[in-house]
């Protein structure tokens, strides 16, 4: 194979349709634009969402809420889920391998939900006040 012989697969590319090139092309005369009206003229366009002067839908409806871009990078884990793990040293990598948090997670928060009955050592994770107290009460530590 040579660089000068490489070409796209058959059917991958097709010619751009040439409009306004005579009756035989099937798109002669009005060139597929129909008869008269704003859309048939050159330069005849209006911006996206324009409704002929009527107040556009996106301005009629109230603004409401937003979608946080940080959501995929944050995760939460319950104490009961940590208690179910067979390991003692719990860090972000261990939680990702166990499938408890997303592979995209950058910060993990341990929350007080459920109970913990064994000693665990958390490293590199954020723990809420209640979760930290429960872990330390069970003989574990939060670093």
């Amino acid at each position: 194979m040579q660089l000068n012989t490489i070409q796209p697969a058959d059917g991958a590319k097709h010619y751009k349709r040439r409009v306004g090139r005579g009756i035989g092309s099937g798109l002669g005369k009005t060139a597929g634009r129909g008869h008269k009206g704003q859309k048939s003229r050159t330069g005849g366009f209006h911006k996206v969402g324009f409704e002929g002067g009527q107040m556009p839908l996106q301005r009629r409806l109230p603004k409401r809420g937003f979608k946080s871009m940080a959501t995929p990078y944050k995760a939460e884990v319950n104490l009961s889920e940590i208690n179910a793990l067979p390991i003692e040293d719990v860090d972000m990598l261990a939680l990702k391998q166990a499938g408890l948090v997303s592979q995209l997670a950058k910060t993990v928060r341990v929350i007080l939900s459920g109970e913990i009955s064994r000693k665990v050592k958390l490293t590199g994770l954020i723990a809420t006040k209640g979760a930290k107290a429960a872990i330390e009460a069970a003989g574990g530590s939060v670093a």
Side-chain angles (χ1 to χ4, degrees), residues 75-87 90-103 105 108:
E76 285 185 350
V77 180
N78 299 337
L79 274 183
S80 55
E81 292 173 331
I82 287 179
N83 196 38
L85 286 177
I87 53 176
V90 179
D91 60 352
M92 201 173 312
L93 183 64
L95 292 174
K96 285 181 179 181
Q97 286 174 342
L100 291 177
V101 297
S102 162
Q103 292 293 325
V108 178

Side-chain angles (χ1 to χ4, degrees), residues 63-121:
K63 293 199 278 187
R64 183 165 178 270
F66 80 107
K67 188 171 182 179
S68 174
M69 301 303 277
T71 303
Y73 306 109
K74 293 179 181 176
E76 285 185 350
V77 180
N78 299 337
L79 274 183
S80 55
E81 292 173 331
I82 287 179
N83 196 38
L85 286 177
I87 53 176
E88 197 171 297
D89 290 335
V90 179
D91 60 352
M92 201 173 312
L93 183 64
L95 292 174
K96 285 181 179 181
Q97 286 174 342
L100 291 177
V101 297
S102 162
Q103 292 293 325
L104 294 173
K106 289 182 181 171
T107 59
V108 178
R109 182 182 297 270
V110 180
I111 57 173
L112 179 62
S113 177
E115 294 181 5
I116 190 154
S117 57
R118 61 188 189 84
K119 182 179 160 184
V120 290
K121 182 183 175 192

